[in-house]
Amino acid sequence: MDLVLSADQKLFRATVKGFLEKEAPLTRVRELADTSTGFDRDWWSRAAELGWTAMLVSEELGGGSVSGDGLLDLAIVAEEFGRGVGPGPLLATNIVLAGLAAATDGPDHSHIVEALVSGESVATWAVYEPGGQWSPLTPGLTAKPGSDGFVLDGVKDRVELAEQADLLLVTATTEQGLTQFLVPADAAGVSVEASRSLDLVRRFAEVRFAGVEVPGSAVVGLVGRAEPLVERQLQVAIVLQSAETCGALERVFEFTTQWAFDRYSFGRPLASYQALKHRFADMKTWIEACHATTGAAARAVQDGAEDAAELVSVAKSYVGSRSTQILQDCVQMHGGIGVTWEHDLHLYLRRATVNRALYGTPEDHRLRIADIIAPSERKTS
């Protein structure tokens, strides 16, 4: 997301772009819309070979990045993903890897990390719960002491790729506090029911845990001390999500601008009308602001800055709000063809709309900013 990329990063971006254009063009995305998985596991293994799952992991566990700033390099991948409405568990798996990499204490999960980095396994974060306000730090799902570990009971919904994942990273409430567990998707007592998705290639599901027994080794980090891990995962999720949305906005703006020059009305190209010029100027300004807020958030999270949480929420609030507005404007610019199934515009609008809703809405993050800036004032108001 930096304005100036190194030579290695430029080469990396070109490699990612070339791979996506060849292996997952929009025609292929449309084909995957009719499949149950939404992506191909062999394709994902090849993507992992390019380092898409290694950026947030130490070299000791098979990770590494292009520039040494793993999250910034991964944001490059996410941005190119957005430009092509890419399929696959880029966000889901890297969010889990972010938590596992940050869990320096507790049980050893190095073998799981290695499997995820290689693309052999796929994991996803089970954090959302039905109803209520977005609250990742106070889950209703409980984990009570069992004979050989813990027993999980509760429901998670809007779990991305739950039917396709091998592992679920589950947030739960224990007697000691917030705790995360790695649960095999096929564990006894786990049931998955697919949900409808606005995004054509992203699959979501509701996951029920009915007396699911997990050993103590399933804990990620320390029991009752998962709040820093959850915060880290949330920050990484929003940075990647915002970068992906920025990529989508750039691509749609490009072909909408070209359309305005190619489409004639009353003997003149649409781009020549002053009223439309103002709208294009507004959209371009908003897109640059989306890049700026996302870039600031990515750098802050990469550096572990004190204001990282605030900047992440600023990015989600701004990008989430502006993205759908910009895309709707682009739909209007295209006229009737913009609302047809055959045109690609709706693919981008679907992705941006889902991104706007996941990991806290813009409204949720404005409240989060208020808590960060002046927590005592909001609690007493």
Side-chain angles (χ1 to χ4, degrees):
M1 297 303 299
D2 285 345
L3 292 176
V4 180
L5 300 179
S6 68
D8 289 339
Q9 287 176 316
K10 289 179 181 178
L11 177 60
F12 179 62
R13 180 189 285 277
T15 302
V16 173
K17 182 178 181 179
F19 181 82
L20 286 170
E21 289 177 346
K22 179 181 178 181
E23 301 288 344
L26 288 176
T27 53
R28 178 57 178 158
V29 170
R30 288 178 178 271
E31 293 173 357
L32 290 169
D34 296 324
T35 66
S36 60
T37 59
F39 76 101
D40 182 82
R41 292 290 288 258
D42 291 336
W43 177 87
W44 178 245
S45 295
R46 296 199 301 276
E49 291 176 1
L50 296 178
W52 295 8
T53 53
M55 307 291 183
L56 306 180
V57 178
S58 65
E59 294 183 1
E60 291 76 10
L61 295 176
S65 63
V66 175
S67 67
D69 293 329
L71 184 58
L72 301 183
D73 294 338
L74 190 56
I76 294 174
V77 181
E79 191 171 338
E80 292 300 324
F81 226 65
R83 289 181 63 88
V85 198
L90 179 72
L91 268 69
T93 293
N94 276 293
I95 291 167
V96 174
L97 282 168
L100 295 177
T104 55
D105 298 317
D108 179 22
H109 296 296
S110 58
H111 61 293
I112 293 176
V113 172
E114 291 171 359
L116 294 175
V117 169
S118 69
E120 177 185 345
S121 295
V122 171
T124 189
W125 189 20
V127 61
Y128 266 101
E129 296 186 356
Q133 189 177 6
W134 161 247
S135 183
L137 300 181
T138 56
L141 186 145
T142 61
K144 298 179 179 179
S147 58
D148 187 34
F150 295 85
V151 179
L152 276 58
D153 285 286
V155 182
K156 297 288 184 179
D157 70 352
R158 288 159 284 181
V159 182
E160 184 178 355
L161 296 171
E163 287 189 303
Q164 295 77 33
D166 304 298
L167 291 166
L168 307 171
L169 179 58
V170 183
T171 57
T173 297
T174 65
E175 294 176 351
Q176 294 85 358
L178 183 65
T179 307
Q180 293 199 114
F181 299 88
L182 274 175
V183 181
D186 59 356
V190 175
S191 60
V192 180
E193 182 178 351
S195 306
R196 295 186 64 183
S197 173
L198 183 65
D199 192 307
L200 293 186
V201 291
R202 278 202 176 146
R203 303 290 181 260
F204 296 88
E206 178 183 87
V207 183
R208 293 185 175 273
F209 299 82
V212 178
E213 298 184 9
V214 294
S217 59
V219 174
V220 176
L222 300 175
V223 176
R225 300 184 183 180
E227 187 169 338
L229 300 181
V230 171
E231 177 63 28
R232 167 69 176 170
Q233 290 159 209
L234 179 61
Q235 290 181 9
V236 168
I238 293 173
V239 165
L240 297 181
Q241 183 189 76
S242 298
E244 182 185 62
T245 302
C246 285
L249 293 176
E250 279 285 355
R251 181 67 190 111
V252 173
F253 186 77
E254 288 172 5
F255 64 66
T256 302
T257 304
Q258 188 60 52
W259 165 260
F261 279 101
D262 294 340
R263 180 73 167 88
Y264 275 66
S265 176
F266 300 104
R268 297 169 53 188
L270 290 178
S272 68
Y273 289 92
Q274 187 174 16
L276 298 186
K277 289 180 181 179
H278 287 302
R279 292 182 70 177
F280 276 113
D282 286 342
M283 285 192 289
K284 181 61 175 176
T285 301
W286 295 337
I287 291 172
E288 291 303 321
C290 287
H291 279 296
T293 54
T294 300
R299 174 59 67 182
V301 176
Q302 174 63 53
D303 295 341
E306 292 183 1
D307 59 351
E310 179 182 348
L311 291 176
V312 161
S313 287
V314 167
K316 179 56 190 281
S317 177
Y318 189 85
V319 176
S321 297
R322 285 298 187 189
S323 59
T324 50
Q325 181 180 356
I326 293 168
L327 291 172
Q328 290 287 6
D329 273 359
C330 289
V331 171
Q332 290 188 7
M333 292 288 192
H334 279 79
I337 195 174
V339 295
T340 61
W341 179 263
E342 290 76 16
H343 202 282
D344 293 331
L345 251 172
H346 70 97
L347 302 178
Y348 292 92
L349 182 56
R350 288 168 182 270
R351 176 63 55 90
T353 303
V354 170
N355 282 352
R356 183 191 191 282
L358 285 180
Y359 305 117
T361 64
E363 294 76 16
D364 291 328
H365 282 277
R366 283 194 280 272
L367 291 174
R368 191 168 186 253
I369 293 168
D371 285 337
I372 293 171
I373 294 175
S376 58
E377 284 83 346
R378 206 171 82 81
K379 289 179 181 178
T380 56
S381 62

